Amino acid sequence: MAKKQKRYAFLINLERCIGCNACTVSCKSFYDLHPSINRRFVRETSELLTGTPKRNYISTSCNHCDRPACATACPTGAYIKLDNGIVKHNQDRCIGCRMCATACPYGVPQFDPVKKKMDKCDMCVDRLEAGEQPICVVSCPLEAIAIVDLNEIDESQVVADLPGFADSSITGSSTRFILPKGTTVVRGGIKSWNTL
Amino acid sequence: MEHAMTLVIFTFLSQMAIGAFACLFFIDTYKEKISERSTVISLITILAISAVAVVVSVFHLGHPFAAYRALLNFGASWLTREIVFFPLFMFFVLLYTFFAKTKAQKQILGWTTVVFGAVTIFSTAMIYTIPSVPAWNNGTTLAAFFLTALLPGPILVQLLLALLEKRTVNFNLYTTVVAFLALLLNGVTVSVLKSGLPAAVESAGLLTASPLFWIKIATLAAAFALAGYFLLKKKAGTVSTVTTLFALVIVAEFLGRILFYSSGVHL
């Protein structure tokens, strides 16, 4: 029986992310990116994500969408949706028109002021093909980022939408999130909602 | 979009040139007899404006000399389609200028040129009708781009004919109606944005808080009043009237295009 083609996606565990930016910095360092460019961002998100006040961080990069707006907007066809789900940008074709940045609901592609071309995450496709994990995955001290196969994942345990994150249905974002658990203060101690 | 000024100039000039050609073709082929000299000079002016638009547009690219690669994604990208159709429009303006001698030739070449022009404007509008910028993702983008062709374009032709033929073609009814529609569109746009997503509401705030928006409204209202006055007086107006009208609509539409790019809030 033919093996089903994998559909790679990022899985971000918000319960684990502490906002340390190791993913951002390691990616930037590994690929020697221009100082103005980040392929991965960490930002603070709503404190009320779980219904109770709690500091939450979200790490995002390219969402490798099912219907990538960057690929539709690009006049040179520099973006390719690979069979494994990764949206790859071919810098050799790019002319730096920046339409991809305008069209992407997440504003992911960024203009490299030295190369005068766009830049974005390709999920370290070369490392994946060599059997290694992307650099952001291996550098996260809390293992908050993982690569999953969307054919295998249990969608009931994850979400595709978060407050402040553009509607995933627009372009079919492949990134999935594990929501943090709610907490409450009981006589000075902190307990998880689901243990009460 | 900090690099948007080249796009402001390109979209404004290209749409004005398309509107001007459509108007000149209509007058030349179906309406008033104008001399061949005036027609050719007007067409060359339209071509020159189009050429300036193309040259300026190339400078918003990181690699202007690789601009030819923008033709590679015709099947998916509206930007590629715009880049294909606008030079086709220019090519047919050139053919019309030098090869359209009989009425039949003028009709065939003229209508083909108008269709390529209309498809160019449609393609340009579709580039910006995208969910990532809610303020642009509605019919007002298409309406605004076509109005840029329909308002300054014919007034440019009116001005050229007034200068070349020393007589004023009476466009007062047309200008009054289109200037009114342009004024109306501003109200519709603000209303649509205010009832949209938070990013669109933010765009509405940026738009109405800008002094440029109110200058645009004032100049459009002045153009409407001026054309309306001469319409009621049943006079064609003078060269200075047409020049004033042209200046008013140029300012209004150019400011409108600057505001379009500067107020488009990303999701």
Side-chain angles (χ1 to χ4, degrees), chain A residues 104-180:
Chain A
C104 174
Y106 309 97
V108 163
Q110 289 170 60
F111 187 72
D112 185 323
V114 174
K115 292 180 183 168
K116 308 277 184 194
K117 292 181 177 195
M118 304 308 288
D119 189 284
K120 78 162 197 79
C121 157
D122 65 358
M123 212 186 264
C124 296
V125 63
D126 295 339
R127 288 175 61 89
L128 279 174
E129 282 171 357
E132 294 178 86
Q133 288 291 298
I135 205 73
C136 56
V137 174
V138 296
S139 68
C140 179
L142 284 102
E143 297 181 353
I145 307 171
I147 300 296
V148 290
D149 180 357
L150 281 182
N151 294 321
E152 309 268 318
I153 195 168
D154 180 0
E155 291 280 359
S156 67
Q157 302 298 310
V158 296
V159 295
D161 289 292
L162 287 175
F165 191 67
D167 186 348
S168 68
S169 68
I170 298 172
T171 51
S173 162
S174 74
T175 303
R176 297 293 185 267
F177 303 98
I178 296 174
L179 289 175

Side-chain angles (χ1 to χ4, degrees), chain B residues 17 19 76 86 93 112 123 140 145 159 168 181 207 212-213 216:
Chain B
F86 190 59
V93 173
T112 309
S123 302
T140 61
F145 285 12
L159 178 64
T168 314
L181 290 176
L207 205 58
L212 298 183
F213 178 76
K216 178 194 176 187

